[in-house]
Amino acid sequence: MIDYSLQDNSIDELIWSFIGTSPCPEDFRDYLRHAPESRLHLDEAIDRLIAIDNLESDGAEDERRYPAAIAEIEGMATDGHKVAQFHMGKILGKGIGVTADPDRSAGWYRAAVLQKESRSAINLAVFLEQSGRPEDIGYVKQLLHDAAAAGEVAAEFILAHQARTGYGETNNRPDLMKAFAGFHQVWEKGCVLSGYSIGRMLIMGDGVRSDVPLGREWVEKSALAGCDNAIIAMGMDAEFGRNQDKDLTAAMDWYRRGAERGSTECQHRLANLLLRGENGIKDGAQAVHWLRRAAVCGDSNAQRILGLVYLWGVDVVRNARFGYKWLTRAAEGGDSFAAYHLGKALYNEGPPQLETAARWL
């Protein structure tokens, strides 16, 4: 596999040189969405968002600096820098600091593929697969095989997953034994997510004889190796007593493992248990710590819970403004529970704001 870390680091540092002292929270949200592969400033970006939040201000939106960083990256891409082309594909595909443009995103990926940038081959293949055009199937497969030949284990995992779903197979019929064998092969190459896939196939009897204990062993191995999906599964099994006795302490241990890795789902699940304190471990300060980290990263569950914590004054000094802000952010992201609580609060708290409350309800 080609090591792009030095070039990724240079892109990362270029972005940070523009936004590091920005007063605008959107710059740091863009950084988290962009997620440069090296993530050199991940913790700093989260800390800056929390600091801006503490100022009870959303910052200076007219001082956004991310677009200037993108212009620099686009200039490098135009000059033929293949890693910059890869990043332009990500930026335009996700709409980071600019309007999303899937066609231009694919164009940059294609330019990078011509220079053998194997990660761009993977992302272009995923884009074309999601587009769903039958005429692209052969090219998608070729892109993935080329990336796999270049040492990209992620491409091998996707090929195994495609065999499981039937993409590109005869009559689109899944080839589950091919998928099962493929997941084993990439597990041996260090792909921790494949261990979770093996475990799920065994638990569900998906193309293989059902073996729940062995499947759970695979999920646990994957979790211990650092797979967030597996960590969440282990935590939820312990929290809700699935296939075992309910064990909230074990659930907290699993969620904490994922939270420290940066999983926002683990962060809000851990915070929820710390707020409930059903196993005798109640820590509101730690709960708010994890909720704020997940909320600034865009996790709507964390935003909703944090909003209610502030609105109701649960283990924090009550701050209705913070409560409304976080509930609104979650509701705007499509969280119906946040919309309900926001509408109810606007109706009941202070002078009723009937029109706004009705809209959210």
Side-chain angles (χ1 to χ4, degrees):
M1 181 173 65
I2 299 173
D3 184 0
Y4 296 109
S5 58
L6 290 178
Q7 295 177 74
D8 281 323
N9 288 353
S10 68
I11 297 289
D12 199 331
E13 293 291 8
L14 183 154
I15 294 168
W16 199 256
S17 71
F18 279 89
I19 72 166
T21 59
S22 172
C24 177
E26 283 304 317
D27 283 331
F28 301 104
R29 293 188 189 115
D30 283 341
Y31 182 85
L32 296 175
R33 291 180 62 224
H34 185 166
E37 277 57 28
S38 50
R39 291 172 173 81
L40 297 175
H41 300 281
L42 177 63
D43 289 336
E44 290 174 84
I46 293 172
D47 289 342
R48 286 286 294 147
L49 276 170
I50 291 172
I52 292 170
D53 177 51
N54 283 337
L55 296 173
E56 300 197 25
S57 167
D58 280 334
E61 295 298 329
D62 59 344
E63 294 186 29
R64 292 192 64 184
R65 302 176 184 176
Y66 220 91
I70 293 170
E72 288 286 325
I73 297 169
E74 186 170 14
M76 295 167 61
T78 302
D79 289 340
H81 192 296
K82 65 182 180 182
V83 172
Q85 292 170 346
F86 164 73
H87 282 274
M88 284 306 301
K90 285 183 64 177
I91 287 165
L92 288 162
K94 293 183 176 182
I96 300 164
V98 295
T99 302
D101 190 330
D103 290 335
R104 287 185 64 206
S105 169
W108 282 118
Y109 283 142
R110 290 179 190 276
V113 166
L114 291 175
Q115 298 193 71
K116 309 296 184 184
E117 211 285 344
S118 52
R119 299 173 306 176
S120 295
I122 295 173
N123 286 10
L124 179 59
V126 170
F127 168 74
L128 293 173
E129 180 181 349
Q130 292 173 345
S131 298
R133 296 179 301 189
E135 61 268 28
D136 289 331
I137 290 175
Y139 185 46
V140 167
K141 292 286 189 180
Q142 186 61 55
L143 285 168
L144 292 171
H145 282 294
D146 289 347
E152 295 288 349
V153 177
E156 295 185 64
F157 175 82
I158 295 171
L159 286 166
H161 181 70
Q162 287 179 342
R164 186 179 182 185
T165 61
Y167 179 83
E169 301 294 330
T170 304
N171 297 322
N172 291 324
R173 294 184 61 182
D175 188 337
L176 298 177
M177 291 307 298
K178 180 180 178 181
F180 196 65
F183 288 141
H184 274 85
Q185 289 172 7
V186 292
W187 170 263
E188 295 297 329
K189 296 180 180 181
C191 176
V192 298
L193 180 56
S194 63
Y196 175 70
S197 297
I198 292 168
R200 294 301 301 162
M201 291 185 77
L202 286 165
I203 290 169
M204 298 165 61
D206 191 4
V208 295
R209 182 174 60 85
S210 177
D211 190 331
V212 174
L214 181 58
R216 284 181 52 76
E217 285 182 23
W218 270 102
V219 173
E220 184 171 4
K221 281 201 299 185
S222 179
L224 291 171
C227 173
D228 288 340
N229 287 1
I231 290 170
I232 293 165
M234 293 298 296
M236 292 181 68
D237 285 353
E239 181 180 359
F240 300 110
R242 299 190 306 208
N243 303 310
Q244 63 184 63
D245 292 334
K246 191 173 180 178
D247 187 341
L248 295 183
T249 300
M252 289 178 70
D253 289 342
W254 282 114
Y255 292 149
R256 192 178 300 278
R257 179 188 292 265
E260 290 172 350
R261 285 177 43 80
S263 165
T264 59
E265 181 168 352
C266 285
Q267 288 168 352
H268 83 246
R269 289 185 178 278
L270 173 61
N272 194 40
L273 291 180
L274 288 167
L275 287 170
R276 285 158 47 191
E278 293 177 18
N279 60 337
I281 303 175
K282 183 175 175 62
D283 190 330
Q286 274 293 303
V288 170
H289 164 79
W290 289 117
L291 285 173
R292 294 186 75 174
R293 293 186 74 82
V296 298
C297 290
D299 186 289
S300 63
N301 288 292
Q303 291 169 346
R304 181 185 70 251
I305 299 169
L306 186 61
L308 293 174
V309 163
Y310 278 121
L311 189 63
W312 296 339
V314 180
D315 294 317
V316 296
V317 176
R318 185 176 185 274
N319 187 321
R321 182 183 179 281
F322 274 10
Y324 287 130
K325 180 175 74 173
W326 285 113
L327 283 175
T328 300
R329 192 166 292 169
E332 288 174 344
D335 188 306
S336 59
F337 293 106
Y340 165 74
H341 284 294
L342 180 59
K344 185 177 176 183
L346 289 168
Y347 178 76
N348 290 325
E349 300 256 339
Q353 301 179 47
L354 299 182
E355 183 177 346
T356 307
R359 177 166 59 86
W360 285 118
L361 288 168

